[in-house]
Amino acid sequence: MPSSRSPVINFWFIFNAIVALAPPIYWAASSAPPMLGFPATLVYFLAVNVSLTASIVAAYLSDSRRGALE
Amino acid sequence: MIITFGILLVFFVILVVILQRIRYDEHSFSTYAVGDRSFGARYQAMSFLNTWYPGAMFTAFGGMAAASGVISFYVLSYSLLIVMLMYIMAHTVWVWGKTFDLKTQPDLFALRFQSHHIRSIAAVIGIISGIPWLVLGMQALGEMFRYLSLGALSFSQAVVLGVVVIGVRQIWTVKIGMRGVVISDYFQGIVAYIVGTLMLIGLILWLIYSKGVDFSQLPATHFSLPGIGSSEGPLYVFSLMLTGALGGWCWPYIFVRLFTANGVKSLKKSAALAVPLSMLFAVALLIFGMLGGALPEVAEHPSEVWFIVSHQAGGLWLLGLAGVILLAASMGHIDGNIQATGAQIANDLLGNYFKLDTRQLILFSKLGMLGLTLLSSWLACLELPALFTLAVLAYQGIIQLAVPQFLGIFWKKGNKYAAISSMSAGFITAVWLELHYPGSIPWAYGLTSGAVALLINLVIYISLSLLIRQTADEKQRVEALFRMIRHTPGQGQSMVSSVGERSAAR
């Protein structure tokens, strides 16, 4: 069973971990002005979590399409 | 009270009917402990969610959102990060689990590090750390019954009632084992996270349109996160998320979900099914909590936001439904905890030192579950002022399993000396730090005791792994284990004889 994931998905997973955990990013969000009419910290958390969700769904679809799960 | 308790009773009766219809089978300990690895993606997804999000989500995290605002979103971030971790390690853990018939998390430690004692050490850390959370879960049910009784029951009476209800529920957990847990999780999960999310969305709309609440009414502090110069320390949120994400898979009742799936595809599909649901549920809950915090009654009792807003918006009927949703979430967590602990008592403690046949393993597992239910029920009825502190301490302690667990799965070099030393030193350090600096460490920039100990744990693991070389036999055995995961499960099976004999740490 090929266990390697698509490089794009790997990059996306690493990107998610960095934006979710790196303190300078949430420090910056905490002092930023509102975005799209909403507090920046709320937009930050929603964006990170949408990205995490989308990456896992995309990983499954990508692995299924490549036959990596059969 | 008749309406609120009546709705709870209807839910409980439906659940009992479902549980009574489940066929139970004790032909092997694997059937009892991991449901014969027979569950597809939908059951896996719901079982994971129902074990991961306890009823306390509605009280503790709903209350945190109401009282402190956006910082509460860290729970969602680490809840999704652990699913990402599951996706990454699913293949390795499932293949090893299936090939070597692993039934518990300590089984995996014993296989990877070929150590007899590491199985019991990991089990003891897991069991001890889980008990405070079990007791807290039972006490949270007491809070629910107190509120739903509309003042008719005192807190002590409500806790006793909660303990009785959850105790009765455990009859089926003990009787059926993992199959009963997973199938009931499916029903409980639908109620808690699908009906729950719909209700949360309805309550958000009610808060906005009927009460005129919006984010602009909340204080600015509700939208700030601790940064440089803050009292919590600049690394506080990082620490919460890191320990949450790594610690999630250290809980035995979460880890065992990786062994109940019928294949890697089901596990990965379950991750893809669980994340959208997890995100919708938690976003709805946290936004609901934040908006609910604008109500004066909630500001006085933030942890009761779920009950106060439901009661105000829909009267006793909606309050009853709120109780059902919280009960469904609580049951999933408590059942999973008790089932996994019972399996560990039989498999990793008694079974590690005495030769037990299938019948005896199942019997001791059942006795373990029964004993744990009675112990937790008794503790829940006591006034334990330090319980929450113990629960926090337990979390800082259990995440020390993360280093040998994850590096053991992803790095060939580790050995049993590194694993035992690092997790023991990490556990002792976390306890020492928590006792000397309860709550926060003044010199650690907001890092929690568990995060500091994790760093020490990591340094020890890597150092000893590099300093103490694996023997030629051990190196060959580990190479074969890792080679196995690069093959199809069918090809992997052919290696069982060569790897399995030496890996059978028992």
Side-chain angles (χ1 to χ4, degrees), chain A residues 1 20 26-27 30 41 59 63, chain B residues 87 91 223 225 238 241 487-488:
Chain A
M1 181 184 288
Y26 67 75
W27 296 341
S30 191
T41 45
D63 284 351
Chain B
Y87 200 92
H91 183 95
F223 297 102
L225 295 168
F238 161 78
M241 287 200 281
H487 292 68
T488 62

Side-chain angles (χ1 to χ4, degrees), chain A residues 10-38:
Chain A
N10 280 336
F11 174 80
W12 198 350
F13 279 1
I14 293 166
F15 170 80
N16 284 337
I18 291 170
V19 294
L21 294 171
I25 299 177
Y26 67 75
W27 296 341
S30 191
S31 54
M35 297 165 74
L36 309 166
F38 290 98

Side-chain angles (χ1 to χ4, degrees), chain B residues 71-152:
Chain B
I71 190 175
S72 58
F73 269 75
Y74 86 88
V75 68
L76 174 58
S77 296
Y78 81 71
S79 296
L80 297 179
L81 280 169
I82 77 153
V83 184
M84 197 173 86
L85 263 176
M86 173 167 99
Y87 200 92
I88 294 168
M89 68 178 177
H91 183 95
T92 304
V93 175
W94 191 88
V95 169
W96 286 353
K98 170 76 174 171
T99 308
F100 298 103
D101 192 25
L102 307 182
K103 292 169 280 285
T104 61
Q105 177 193 29
D107 265 355
L108 184 122
F109 276 79
L111 169 75
R112 171 60 184 85
F113 297 108
Q114 203 177 19
S115 164
H116 188 65
H117 298 300
I118 201 169
R119 179 184 272 125
S120 298
I121 295 170
V124 166
I125 292 176
I127 292 168
I128 291 175
S129 303
I131 289 176
W133 289 95
L134 203 51
V135 176
L136 277 178
M138 290 182 172
Q139 290 190 339
L141 278 183
E143 280 285 357
M144 182 198 80
F145 279 114
R146 187 185 62 78
Y147 200 96
L148 264 63
S149 76
L150 308 170

Side-chain angles (χ1 to χ4, degrees), chain B residues 138-187:
Chain B
M138 290 182 172
Q139 290 190 339
L141 278 183
E143 280 285 357
M144 182 198 80
F145 279 114
R146 187 185 62 78
Y147 200 96
L148 264 63
S149 76
L150 308 170
L153 295 179
S154 68
F155 179 68
S156 311
Q157 290 169 327
V159 169
V160 171
L161 180 60
V163 163
V164 169
V165 169
I166 206 71
V168 170
R169 169 66 183 83
Q170 297 323 305
I171 292 171
W172 289 272
T173 306
V174 173
K175 182 176 157 191
I176 313 173
M178 183 57 91
R179 183 173 292 280
V181 169
V182 176
I183 294 174
S184 59
D185 278 353
Y186 193 69
F187 170 65

Side-chain angles (χ1 to χ4, degrees), chain B residues 215-444:
Chain B
F215 286 133
S216 66
Q217 295 169 16
L218 302 178
T221 51
H222 274 42
F223 297 102
S224 66
L225 295 168
I228 296 167
S230 65
S231 58
E232 296 91 342
L235 301 180
Y236 181 63
V237 175
F238 161 78
S239 189
L240 290 178
M241 287 200 281
L242 180 77
T243 52
L246 293 179
W249 287 110
C250 296
W251 293 107
Y253 45 88
I254 298 295
F255 195 87
V256 76
R257 303 283 150 233
L258 298 171
F259 294 146
T260 56
N262 61 12
V264 177
K265 184 175 183 179
S266 291
L267 264 182
K268 293 197 169 185
K269 190 175 177 183
S270 76
L273 290 173
V275 278
L277 198 49
S278 177
M279 196 188 78
L280 283 175
F281 165 71
V283 166
L285 174 68
L286 299 172
I287 287 179
F288 159 79
M290 288 174 72
L291 294 175
L295 300 182
E297 300 87 342
V298 174
E300 281 178 31
H301 304 285
S303 65
E304 293 178 7
V305 59
W306 176 235
F307 301 119
I308 292 171
V309 177
S310 300
H311 196 181
Q312 288 189 9
L316 293 178
W317 290 98
L318 203 58
L319 179 61
L321 184 60
V324 164
I325 288 166
L326 192 143
L327 182 62
S330 295
M331 280 181 170
H333 179 81
I334 293 173
D335 301 345
N337 191 332
I338 287 177
Q339 193 280 338
T341 305
Q344 284 193 302
I345 290 169
N347 187 68
D348 306 321
L349 295 181
L350 297 171
N352 205 22
Y353 299 103
F354 302 99
K355 181 79 181 159
L356 302 176
D357 60 28
T358 296
R359 196 184 58 80
Q360 289 168 321
L361 278 168
I362 292 173
L363 176 68
F364 282 119
S365 188
K366 287 181 174 182
L367 289 174
M369 287 183 211
L370 185 64
L372 186 69
T373 304
L374 293 173
L375 174 68
S376 313
S377 302
W378 174 64
L379 290 172
C381 294
L382 299 177
E383 282 192 24
L384 297 170
L387 185 63
F388 191 74
T389 310
L390 271 176
V392 172
L393 179 60
Y395 210 99
Q396 305 304 322
I398 200 160
I399 60 167
Q400 304 311 320
L401 296 179
V403 169
Q405 178 170 287
F406 290 116
L407 290 185
I409 290 170
F410 295 119
W411 190 43
K412 295 177 191 171
K413 282 225 181 293
N415 56 58
K416 63 183 175 186
Y417 307 106
I420 292 174
S421 308
S422 66
M423 70 184 183
S424 303
F427 190 80
I428 292 165
T429 307
V431 172
W432 188 88
L433 287 172
E434 199 64 40
L435 290 175
H436 284 77
Y437 306 103
S440 68
I441 306 170
W443 43 263

